[in-house]
Amino acid sequence: MQPEWVIGLTWSHAMFIIVLEALMKKKLFVVSDIHSFYTPLKKALDEKGFDPNNENHWFIVCGDCYDRGDESEEVLHFLMSLERKVLVKGNHDILLEECCMREYPEWHDGSNGTKKTIKDIGGAGLGRPFDE
């Protein structure tokens, strides 16, 4: 039998709500638009008491981890090190993924920072040279 608050929702919605309900007992650190700026992110998390070793602390990104800043590699390593995280793809994350999948940059990858991000995290050898 479903709880009252599930009435009228599809099962997939109910599962989503249950997951959120479980997460609500935790301390959520929610950010967006990191854009490869690791130092300000880390400073803000430290000021708010984020502890990656605390099993009640969850890190949630609402998109745009990369592009623009100079600390793409640091952001990548930080995100990979976290056990409790939720990463939602933003438009810049999608552009980065698309560029890696096609293995060469297009014109817009220079202006939006995707090309620089790939070079910064060591992917300059993908397909056509990224310094063209």
Side-chain angles (χ1 to χ4, degrees):
M1 180 164 182
Q2 292 181 336
E4 285 182 24
W5 51 267
V6 177
I7 294 174
L9 299 176
T10 65
W11 178 243
S12 61
H13 287 114
M15 289 191 315
F16 185 67
I17 291 170
I18 290 167
V19 169
L20 286 180
E21 184 176 77
L23 285 175
M24 296 312 292
K25 296 174 185 167
K26 308 295 182 182
K27 187 167 184 181
L28 308 179
F29 294 81
V30 182
V31 302
S32 70
D33 299 285
I34 299 169
H35 287 292
S36 298
F37 290 101
Y38 173 75
T39 301
L41 169 68
K42 185 72 170 99
K43 181 180 180 205
L45 289 172
D46 289 345
E47 288 174 0
K48 295 300 178 185
F50 178 71
D51 178 4
N53 298 313
N54 184 329
E55 64 183 37
N56 291 317
H57 288 195
W58 277 77
F59 185 70
I60 300 173
V61 180
C62 298
D64 294 345
C65 295
Y66 303 104
D67 297 346
R68 306 279 191 248
D70 293 325
E71 299 172 300
S72 298
E73 188 174 3
E74 291 86 344
V75 170
L76 176 65
H77 289 293
F78 174 70
L79 295 175
M80 290 176 61
S81 75
L82 299 175
E83 290 184 36
R84 289 164 300 283
K85 62 184 172 253
V86 177
L87 305 175
V88 178
K89 285 183 192 176
N91 63 315
H92 286 265
D93 307 314
I94 292 168
L95 290 169
L96 176 61
E97 182 179 37
E98 289 173 347
C99 187
C100 288
M101 294 299 290
R102 80 176 160 267
E103 299 183 355
Y104 62 88
E106 292 184 344
W107 67 270
H108 60 273
D109 294 320
S111 62
N112 67 22
T114 301
K115 190 169 144 178
K116 180 184 180 324
T117 297
I118 291 173
K119 287 177 74 172
D120 290 348
I121 59 176
L126 290 174
R128 189 168 74 207
F130 273 65
D131 54 0
E132 289 180 355

